[in-house]
Amino acid sequence: MAIEGHREDLISENHGTPLSTRRIPPELFRPIIEHLEHRPTLLALSVTSRILRADAERQLYSVLDDGSDVPQHIAFLSTINQNPRLAGLVQVYHSINIVHYKENPLWDLLYSGLRKMTNLKVFHFRAFGGHPAAELLLDSPFQLEGLHWANHSEGEIMSQFLVQQHSLRHLYLESKRGRTYSSACCPNLTSLGGNRITLESFLPGRRITEISN
């Protein structure tokens, strides 16, 4: 009888406990979430699971490299402008041929959103027509590691921005004729791309190991 009673206790302990008190550790879900690329699924996880929210948000907002989906960019930028905590998760952002110079609402959303992306590491940008748009970068809080800037004929504003980018390793830039950059710009470059003016301005005095055009 005692043995039978003990077995019943074990059954109750192992199988009668509600699932809510026998949760799988969240860290076991992390590798799975890190491989999810379906944004609607990540969004659903972030709003429905208190346990998985942080990992889902990190995966959802860390990278937006589909540079051509205008509605997605408007929604993304609107969200991070309203929530600076989420803006701080953004590390890679691409915006390619989806906005004209000072075309709203996207221009203003991008301008203000960049000032909230404190941890941005890689930025790829081109406005329609390639109009100079370096003013987007002024007073930005981030230290980039990679910048692909496909607008042309940028002037002094771009020079001012690049002087502040001490962590920049990879740069693509189309420079206008007569433009030069001081040796203080991007001292740690290892990869450089762009037109001849850019190459002639940045190659001297830097340990650049990769060149593209």
Side-chain angles (χ1 to χ4, degrees):
M1 294 291 295
I3 294 176
E4 183 67 25
H6 182 60
R7 193 180 77 171
E8 290 175 357
D9 289 342
L10 289 175
I11 292 174
S12 175
E13 179 180 348
N14 290 323
H15 300 285
T17 305
L19 288 176
S20 60
T21 62
R22 292 189 284 118
R23 293 171 177 157
I24 299 174
E27 55 267 22
L28 297 183
F29 287 104
R30 189 164 296 136
I32 299 173
I33 294 175
E34 288 176 351
H35 285 84
L36 282 177
E37 296 181 356
H38 189 244
R39 302 187 72 84
T41 298
L42 290 167
L43 179 61
L45 283 174
S46 70
V47 299
T48 59
S49 174
R50 180 178 57 83
I51 296 174
L52 302 180
R53 180 178 303 152
D55 291 320
E57 286 180 341
R58 187 180 302 108
Q59 183 71 1
L60 181 62
Y61 290 98
S62 63
V63 176
L64 183 56
D65 56 6
D66 179 357
S68 60
D69 188 332
V70 175
Q72 182 182 62
H73 278 262
I74 291 177
F76 183 89
L77 291 168
S78 296
T79 299
I80 67 169
N81 273 297
Q82 295 169 9
N83 192 329
R85 179 182 64 81
L86 296 178
L89 298 177
V90 183
Q91 296 187 14
V92 177
Y93 186 77
H94 293 192
S95 174
I96 306 168
N97 288 336
I98 63 172
V99 58
H100 287 281
Y101 179 69
K102 291 198 172 180
E103 177 190 38
N104 282 319
L106 198 49
W107 180 271
D108 284 350
L109 286 171
L110 179 57
Y111 183 89
S112 57
L114 286 172
R115 279 143 190 79
K116 296 179 176 67
M117 298 181 193
T118 54
N119 295 305
L120 187 65
K121 298 302 180 187
V122 177
F123 186 34
H124 187 158
F125 179 78
R126 188 181 192 278
F128 271 121
H131 189 286
E135 62 200 77
L136 280 172
L137 301 171
L138 275 182
D139 303 319
S140 298
F142 43 71
Q143 282 289 313
L144 293 177
E145 295 176 4
L147 173 64
H148 188 114
W149 192 262
N151 290 9
H152 57 74
S153 303
E154 296 291 358
E156 183 60 28
I157 294 177
M158 178 58 75
S159 297
Q160 294 174 16
F161 172 73
L162 291 177
V163 166
Q164 302 169 355
Q165 295 301 304
H166 307 295
S167 299
L168 198 64
R169 300 288 191 275
H170 312 285
L171 173 65
Y172 181 94
L173 181 65
E174 298 283 342
S175 301
K176 69 178 181 179
R177 185 178 301 276
R179 168 57 51 189
T180 59
Y181 300 90
S182 76
S183 58
C185 288
C186 316
N188 295 305
L189 276 183
T190 59
S191 172
L192 179 65
N195 58 6
R196 178 178 176 179
I197 300 168
T198 295
L199 299 182
E200 291 178 345
S201 296
F202 282 96
L203 278 175
R206 295 177 177 84
R207 297 180 178 179
I208 294 173
T209 59
E210 182 179 348
I211 296 176
S212 61
N213 54 29

